[in-house]
Amino acid sequence: MFATARTRDEADGLSKRARAEGLDLRVTTLDVSDPPACEAAFEDIAHLTAGGPDAVVNAEGFAVAQAVEDVTEETAHRLMEINTFAAMRLARLVLPAMRRRGRGRIVNLSSAAGRSVLPLGGWYGASRAASAALTHALRMELAGSGVQVVLIEHGFHATGLLEDAVRSLTPPSNISTHVTDCYRDAAAALSDPTRFAGPDRAAATVHRALTARRPRARYTVAMDARLAAPLIASLPYAISDPVKRLVLGLAEYP
């Protein structure tokens, strides 16, 4: 098995944990937003596996929790690059070999934020909605090829994505002091480790998606993704919008 990590420290930590679990795992650092680096990494994997991987899990993600007008062009591009473009880039790299073999599996991790957008989550939700749409299209295009495509949508859980979101809430808003106060309150809520489950359930769902003989097209992880997000998305905006604004503390913002 092969795995990638953003930094050398993360790669070393993952390798150490794999050894402790008795797993044969090769870990390398990879910036999924760097096309040449992705090509080189998958060329190495193809060489070591005599053709390329049987399955790919696209689990890289990046989160920002700011008002739409506070998010810079650079940050918006980074969100779309990591959460949307990278998964399709890796799919393009592995699909030719999978088609030739007549089998393969691509599992893309996304978020319920793409279906039920919250205030301060516009750009993050946009990146996840785009990822879900592209995964859906890819699944239809590959029907009959032997390559199966699966989307996993998670809710809130304690991972590096929450840490990304909290960091993004640290600078004051350029809009108003009231929005800055909302950032502070949101950061406090996201920083509470007792409010969110760990990544174990999401990892178990990935395992199910990889090993099931006939995987579902879409899996949802956690109650907020399975029940709350679809319910809220089905409500009229006249009802859901004020509720979301109230929850985020924006109800008094003109």
Side-chain angles (χ1 to χ4, degrees), residues 186-200:
L190 294 175
S191 299
D192 183 355
T194 65
R195 298 190 61 178
F196 309 107
D200 292 353

Side-chain angles (χ1 to χ4, degrees), residues 8-122:
R8 171 47 56 187
D9 287 344
E10 290 177 349
D12 291 343
L14 186 56
S15 295
K16 183 177 180 180
R17 182 170 179 179
R19 287 194 298 271
E21 297 288 337
L23 299 176
D24 182 14
L25 183 68
R26 301 186 184 210
V27 186
T28 184
T29 57
L30 177 64
D31 179 0
V32 295
S33 66
D34 183 343
C38 291
E39 292 176 9
F42 276 82
E43 284 177 2
D44 288 344
I45 292 173
H47 176 71
L48 293 169
T49 58
D54 292 320
V56 172
V57 178
N58 293 301
E60 184 66 279
F62 176 54
V64 169
Q66 291 180 336
V68 170
E69 59 188 300
D70 267 338
V71 176
T72 65
E73 288 277 339
E74 180 182 5
T75 300
H77 278 283
R78 178 167 171 77
L79 267 173
M80 299 301 294
E81 179 66 45
I82 293 177
N83 294 350
T84 305
F85 301 149
M88 297 305 114
R89 175 178 299 122
L90 301 188
R92 285 195 298 270
L93 291 173
V94 300
L95 277 173
M98 288 183 176
R99 275 205 191 88
R100 286 194 297 270
R101 290 194 300 267
R103 68 180 188 279
R105 196 164 297 189
I106 295 174
V107 179
N108 290 336
L109 269 68
S110 185
S111 168
R115 285 197 285 166
S116 180
V117 180
L118 290 172
L120 313 186

Side-chain angles (χ1 to χ4, degrees), residues 108-248:
N108 290 336
L109 269 68
S110 185
S111 168
R115 285 197 285 166
S116 180
V117 180
L118 290 172
L120 313 186
W123 278 107
Y124 178 70
S127 70
R128 292 310 198 180
S131 175
L134 287 164
T135 301
H136 189 174
L138 190 64
R139 184 176 64 253
M140 292 187 290
E141 292 161 2
L142 292 170
S145 70
V147 182
Q148 296 166 309
V149 181
V150 180
L151 177 70
I152 297 178
E153 291 181 326
H154 59 74
F156 284 99
H157 58 280
T159 67
L161 285 176
L162 280 183
E163 296 172 6
D164 288 342
V166 170
R167 280 193 294 270
S168 74
L169 290 163
T170 301
S173 170
N174 294 313
I175 302 170
S176 72
T177 56
H178 178 65
V179 176
T180 297
D181 291 341
C182 292
Y183 285 4
R184 184 186 62 247
D185 293 342
L190 294 175
S191 299
D192 183 355
T194 65
R195 298 190 61 178
F196 309 107
D200 292 353
R201 187 177 299 177
T205 304
V206 171
H207 182 266
R208 192 177 310 126
L210 287 171
T211 58
R213 182 180 179 185
R214 294 182 179 178
R216 300 177 192 171
R218 183 196 303 258
Y219 292 86
T220 52
V221 184
M223 294 298 288
D224 54 340
R226 186 173 298 115
L227 297 177
L231 175 61
I232 293 173
S234 69
L235 293 173
Y237 290 157
I239 296 174
S240 63
D241 285 5
V243 171
K244 293 177 183 178
R245 284 170 53 81
L246 180 64
V247 169
L248 270 294

